[in-house]
Structures are given as C-alpha cells and as structure tokens.
Amino acid sequence: MALGLTYATSHTLVRMRLSSFRHALKDQNRVSWIGAGAFCGLVLAGGTIWVAARGDNDGLVVALGIWMLGWVVGPLFAGGGDETLKPEYFSMLPLPPRTLSTGLLVAAVAGVAPVISLVALLSLVVAGAQLSVAAALIALPALVLQLFCFILASRLAVAVYGVLLQVRSGAVLAAVVNAFILAFAAQGWALIVAYVSTDVQGTVATAARIAPSGWGLAAVEAAGRGDWLEALLPLVGLVLLAAVMLIAWSALLVRRTTASHMSHKVRRPLSADGPSSAAAAKELRSWTRDLLYGHKAVFAVSYGLFFCMMPLALKATYMLPWAGPAAVIMAGAMASNLYGADGTALWTTLMTPGSAGPDVRARQRAFLLVFGPLTVLITVLFTWWAGDAGAWPLVLSVLPALLGGAAGLIVACSVWAAVPTTDAHKRSGNPLNSGENEGETMGLVYVMLVLVSVSAAPALVAALYWSWWGVPIGLLSGVLAWWYLGRLAINRLEQRGPELLTLLRHGRTVEEAKKKAQYESIPRWKRTLAGFCLGFAAIPLFPQALVPAIFLLTGNADTKSWFLALYVANPLRWLVIAGMAVLGLGMYAYGGLTYYNARKVSPAEAG
C-alpha cells in the first residue's frame, strides 16, 4: 500500500514537473537562459569525460567532487534552486513526509541539470571500460546512485540553509558561505594557481576519494582489480547515505510546512521625538532584526574581504586596500531593491502625510551607519597591512565617493526600478526564494554594481592625477550624490507612490506587460547575445582595462596577476588597455541598445 502510494505520488509529481517545464519553454527569455546553461554544462561534462578517457583517475575524482560541490552550493547562490514544486503546495494533502520527499526527489530528476550531471557521470563508465568489462558494469549502478546523492545533497543543503536563515547566527554563517562562493568565482584563479604550483594535488585527490563524490569511482577501481568486497562497500555506502539524507530532508520538509516562524520575544518599543528619528530607528532595526537584511549586509562585507584576500595565496597584497570599496559596491547592489523588499508594507508610509522625505533620508542614513564605519575601518587596516603608500590617496578618495553614491543610488533605484518580491509575512520555508522575479532582481543587482562603481570615477581620476586632492573631491561627489539622488527619490515617491504600491501588490500592469512583450519580440539569438554582453562586459572593462591602468599609473606594473596588459611589452600595454576598454564599453553599448531599440517596436508588432 505504501509502495503504491509512493509510486502514484512520484508519477504525478513527475508529470507536473514536465508540464511546468513545457510551459516554461513558452517564455523565450527562460529558453535562452536554459539553453545557455545547458551548453555550458555539457561543455563541462565533456571535459569530465575527457579527463576519464585520459586515464587520469586522480583528476577525475577531483572533477566529480567539484560537480557535487556545485550541486550543494549552486542553489544556495541562485535563489534556492529550482523549486517549481514547492513542498508548501502539498501540505494539505494526507501524504506521509517520506512519500512526499521521495516523490519530490524523483520529480527533481526530470530536469536539465540532472541530465547534464548524468552525462558527466558517464565518465565512470569510461574509466571502468579502461579497466575491465566488470568495472564498466559496476559503473552503471554507481553513476545512478551518485546522481541521486547529488540531488539529495542539493535539496538537503537548501533545506538546512533555510533553517539557518531563520536564526541570526545561521544567517551570518550562510552569508559568509555565499560570499566565499561568489568571490571564488571571481578571484578563485589565485587559489587554483597556488594549488597547481604546490605539491598538494595528491592530498586533494585523496580527500576527494574519501568524500562521497569519490565512492562511485572507488567501486569502479576495486572492480577493475577484481576485489568485489571493496567494490560493493562503496555502493552500499551510497545507498545508506542516500537513505540518511532522504530521512533528514523529510524531517526538514515537515518542519518547513508545519512550523511557525513567528517570534514571541518581547522587543523594546521604538522611541523617537519626530518623524525623521522614528523612520531612522525603524530602518536601523530592519538591518539588525530582519534576517535577510542582516544576511545581505554580512554577505557584502564578507565578499569584499574574500575578493581582496584571495590573492594572498600568491603572496600578493595589491588588492588588500580595496576590500572596503569592494564591500561598499556589493552592499549597494544588494540594497538596490529596498522598497521592493518592503512589499505592500509601503502603504503605511504612503498613508502618512509628508513621510516620503523622512523615509528616504532614513534609509540613506541607515545604510551609511551600517556600512560606513565598518568599511572605513577595513580600508584603513588593510591599506596599512598592504604597506603600499601610494594606495592611501586612492582608497581614501574612492571610499567616500562610493558610500555617498551607493546611499543615493539605492533609494533612487528602489523607487524607479522596484521589483515586486514576496512580502515578508508571506515568505515560504525557503527564504532564498523571493518570488517569481528572481531574474529581474539579479538584473537590478548587476546594473547597480556598475552604477555604484562609476560613481567613484571623478574621485579616482582626481586621485590618480592630483594625489591627495582626490580626497576632498571624493567627499564632495559623495555628498552631492547622496543629496541629489535622495531628492529625486523623494520627489518620485511623493508623485508616484500609489503606482509603486500597485506594482508591489499586483505586479506588472497591462502596459508594462506589453513592454515586456516588446522585449521578447527581439530574435532569440540577439537577445541571448545582448544578455551575454551585459553579463560579461565588466570583465574586459574593469579587471582588464581599469585595474591595469591604475597599476601602471601608480607604479605597480610588476603585479601581473591575470591582467593581460601587464604581460605585453611596455609600448603595447596602453593599446591593450584601450582595446579592452573599447571591448567592454562596446559590449555594454550593444546590450543596452538592443533592448532600447526594442522599445520602439509597436505593441501590435510585438504581438
């Protein structure tokens, strides 16, 4: 009876998952992202099979460990992963927890990512075929069990992460992990170079064999030697591990769908002597009490630290002075949707006459109080640690410009380009998932990364040419950006506040939906290329053009790192920098003009 119920549940959930996937294919934008992700995944899977074909089992076991690590940490950084079928949807059905979790697990196999991982795991068959026919046959159950362990580890990690985000210490830990993942994606080359240039490869391969991701290969190698006991033990271990993870995931699903997350702790009431101080107190409490706010704050600061400290693996200290500015840039990007995060709570502000000004200024002051003192302290300590006297005027000029620019841009962007998200009181048991507009939210973050960085351009140029005179220019530009952009946000909120509330409550209007259809009228290949340009234009523009230009101007050209311009002869360095700058700006221009021209398409032509 229980087995029949599990089969029926799994069959139904798989059909629901496939139906949802077919529906997603009608959205050309999602198709583009799915296609690009599938292509990159297949390239990596092909590389894994190539490593196996070379007979490099040490390299293969490390590659499989990276695949499992990707399954675990990928969803943590990508908004909680693909939760097309949320457990909350089935909480009212009389299904035992393990029946539901088993059905969701089987349904999770019906996706693009599991298929790509299955292709990568075919490397076990390739490795086994080089040993013996028996080893190739053992590889078949091994790859199936390995795939289910990958998926279960991913689901369990998301569930544990969701639990952590519901307590303050857990939110801090989760933010640090996420920050390391993103910093490694940008600066992990330093750790990789340090790894390749030392004698730790064998140690890493040994550790990868001990990890569950290496058990399948251990079974294949044992079968190749004819040691059947050692071949069966890893397979039994994978079965037991999958069972334990399934039981743990089932328990967490029960907690997620039944537990109440309301806090009954008595809080100290707000005390204020006016609208401005009341709004400021409210905003400060949001940063310290709302776990997602705190998660973003810790994430931004941790990212700045990890991003600038990873080159220390190569004994390079040139990035240390920029840890504070990097944290401010990321903090501005993470806070780019303040009003969208408030959701329908905005009505309390709109219903209070004259509250727009105090509310906007309070958000700006809270941002500066949360990130200002900390980033100043980090900048001073890390610049002193680096021991580079020439970096002092640069970072002390850029930091106040970035703080003021970010404080102005976050409120202006929140008012003009708010993205509807799930209201705080309607968040699911997976706090990573903020609604159906994850793509728009991430797009807003990317745009803010560029805008906040550009806000420091005048101060940086002044510091490069006039040294310490850049400091007052940085202070002046920061104050002007804080005041002027805040004033624009206040005027916008006073004039268009009801429209903003309607957007946050009901989503896009008919006119806005037509505008989206206009964007979708762009040919798929052109839209994909434009998205690629907007997503990767920062690589040639900043690390390959701006950073080496700063190094040349400050006399740090010996720090070559991964900056292409510093590896060519001196007369050609500025040509390479100019070429990279033109390439980056051209990519931004192409992506921006592609979407700008789509606005000229009539609604009738857009369909």
Side-chain angles (χ1 to χ4, degrees):
M1 182 67 179
L3 185 61
L5 179 61
T6 301
Y7 172 79
T9 302
S10 302
H11 182 262
T12 302
L13 292 178
V14 168
R15 291 179 59 191
M16 292 175 66
R17 175 69 182 263
L18 292 176
S19 178
S20 177
F21 183 73
R22 287 193 299 269
H23 180 73
L25 294 180
K26 297 178 181 178
D27 186 342
Q28 297 300 323
N29 190 37
R30 293 191 65 180
V31 169
S32 300
W33 281 105
I34 292 172
F39 174 77
C40 295
L42 288 174
V43 170
L44 295 175
T48 306
I49 295 175
W50 176 75
V51 171
R54 290 178 55 201
D56 183 6
N57 285 356
D58 283 349
L60 176 59
V61 74
V62 173
L64 294 176
I66 294 174
W67 276 96
M68 188 166 189
L69 183 64
W71 271 97
V72 172
V73 303
L76 305 185
F77 184 66
D82 182 8
E83 283 205 332
T84 305
L85 303 179
K86 295 182 180 181
E88 288 85 357
Y89 295 162
F90 312 100
S91 59
M92 299 300 292
L93 297 179
L95 293 174
R98 291 177 190 173
T99 299
L100 177 59
S101 58
T102 302
L104 291 173
L105 173 64
V106 175
V109 179
V112 176
V115 172
I116 294 174
S117 296
L118 183 63
V119 173
L121 288 170
L122 289 175
S123 58
L124 293 176
V125 179
V126 175
Q130 296 176 343
L131 300 175
S132 66
V133 175
L137 293 176
I138 284 291
L140 295 176
L143 71 88
V144 173
L145 290 172
Q146 203 81 71
L147 178 62
F148 275 100
C149 284
F150 283 2
I151 298 173
L152 273 169
S154 177
R155 294 294 186 265
L156 184 61
V158 171
V160 172
Y161 194 84
V163 172
L164 290 177
L165 281 181
Q166 293 166 10
V167 294
R168 198 173 308 279
S169 58
V172 171
L173 176 62
V176 173
V177 172
N178 254 5
F180 179 82
I181 295 168
L182 183 60
F184 183 83
Q187 290 280 62
W189 61 269
L191 300 182
I192 294 172
V193 170
Y195 162 76
V196 173
S197 61
T198 59
D199 57 353
V200 300
Q201 295 97 316
T203 303
V204 173
T206 302
R209 291 178 185 275
I210 297 174
S213 58
W215 294 357
L217 182 60
V220 172
E221 291 177 331
R225 297 191 303 268
D227 192 337
W228 296 108
L229 180 60
E230 287 191 17
L232 291 176
L233 284 177
L235 299 182
V236 173
L238 287 174
V239 172
L240 294 177
L241 177 64
V244 170
M245 288 193 294
L246 182 62
I247 293 172
W249 185 36
S250 301
L252 290 174
L253 286 183
V254 173
R255 184 185 187 280
R256 171 173 171 176
T257 55
T258 60
S260 174
H261 307 299
M262 295 182 62
S263 174
H264 300 285
K265 185 178 179 180
V266 177
R267 299 289 190 177
R268 182 173 58 85
L270 285 174
S271 58
D273 55 4
S276 298
S277 57
K282 185 262 293 185
E283 282 304 310
L284 281 175
R285 292 195 178 196
S286 295
W287 281 103
T288 56
R289 291 186 178 179
D290 189 313
L291 295 183
L292 287 184
Y293 270 66
H295 173 81
K296 292 177 180 180
V298 175
F299 170 83
V301 175
S302 300
Y303 173 81
L305 295 175
F306 286 132
F307 182 81
C308 295
M309 291 180 69
M310 283 187 179
L312 287 175
L314 300 177
K315 299 181 180 180
T317 60
Y318 60 91
M319 289 294 294
L320 289 178
W322 301 97
V328 175
I329 293 173
M330 183 56 68
M334 299 304 294
S336 58
N337 194 33
L338 290 176
Y339 283 104
D342 281 1
T344 55
L346 177 63
W347 76 271
T348 58
T349 300
L350 298 180
M351 292 298 292
T352 306
S355 62
D359 187 72
V360 168
R361 294 303 184 191
R363 292 175 188 269
Q364 292 181 295
R365 287 198 298 272
F367 179 86
L368 292 175
L369 287 173
V370 170
F371 295 103
L374 184 57
T375 54
V376 169
L377 179 62
I378 291 173
T379 300
V380 172
L381 291 178
F382 276 48
T383 306
W384 170 79
W385 182 8
D388 184 2
W392 283 105
L394 294 176
V395 295
L396 295 181
S397 301
V398 166
L399 186 61
L402 286 175
L403 284 169
L409 284 167
I410 59 171
V411 291
C413 190
S414 295
V415 173
W416 257 278
V419 178
T421 60
T422 304
D423 278 1
H425 65 285
K426 293 182 179 179
R427 292 173 186 164
S428 68
N430 176 12
L432 295 169
N433 195 318
S434 59
E436 300 178 354
N437 300 307
E438 289 286 349
E440 291 184 56
T441 303
M442 291 306 298
L444 191 61
V445 169
Y446 290 138
V447 171
M448 279 289 287
L449 286 173
V450 176
L451 293 179
V452 176
S453 301
V454 170
S455 68
L460 179 60
V461 172
L464 287 173
Y465 282 98
W466 303 308
S467 187
W468 288 99
W469 284 105
V471 176
I473 294 178
L475 289 169
L476 179 62
S477 66
V479 171
L480 288 177
W482 168 82
W483 177 83
Y484 181 70
L485 293 174
R487 170 49 55 186
L488 292 179
I490 293 170
N491 293 338
R492 177 78 173 185
L493 189 59
E494 290 176 341
Q495 297 170 7
R496 305 295 296 274
E499 288 87 342
L500 176 60
L501 178 60
T502 301
L503 169 65
L504 299 180
R505 182 177 182 182
H506 300 293
R508 304 296 179 190
T509 63
V510 176
E511 290 74 14
E512 289 169 330
K514 290 181 179 179
K515 290 181 180 179
K516 184 177 180 180
Q518 289 174 320
Y519 293 134
E520 292 179 351
S521 67
I522 306 172
R524 184 186 306 175
W525 69 268
K526 196 171 185 179
R527 188 165 60 248
T528 302
L529 181 58
F532 175 84
C533 288
L534 291 174
F536 293 94
I539 294 177
L541 182 58
F542 292 103
Q544 297 300 335
L546 182 61
V547 174
I550 295 174
F551 284 172
L552 288 177
L553 292 172
T554 56
N556 290 324
D558 293 336
T559 308
K560 291 182 172 57
S561 185
W562 69 307
F563 309 118
L564 179 63
L566 302 183
Y567 284 92
V568 300
N570 192 37
L572 299 177
R573 288 179 172 180
W574 286 106
L575 290 177
V576 174
I577 289 173
M580 287 295 178
V582 170
L583 176 61
L585 292 173
M587 292 172 69
Y588 274 125
Y590 176 81
L593 288 174
T594 298
Y595 285 100
Y596 176 77
N597 291 333
R599 298 175 59 185
K600 300 179 181 179
V601 179
S602 66
E605 293 175 336

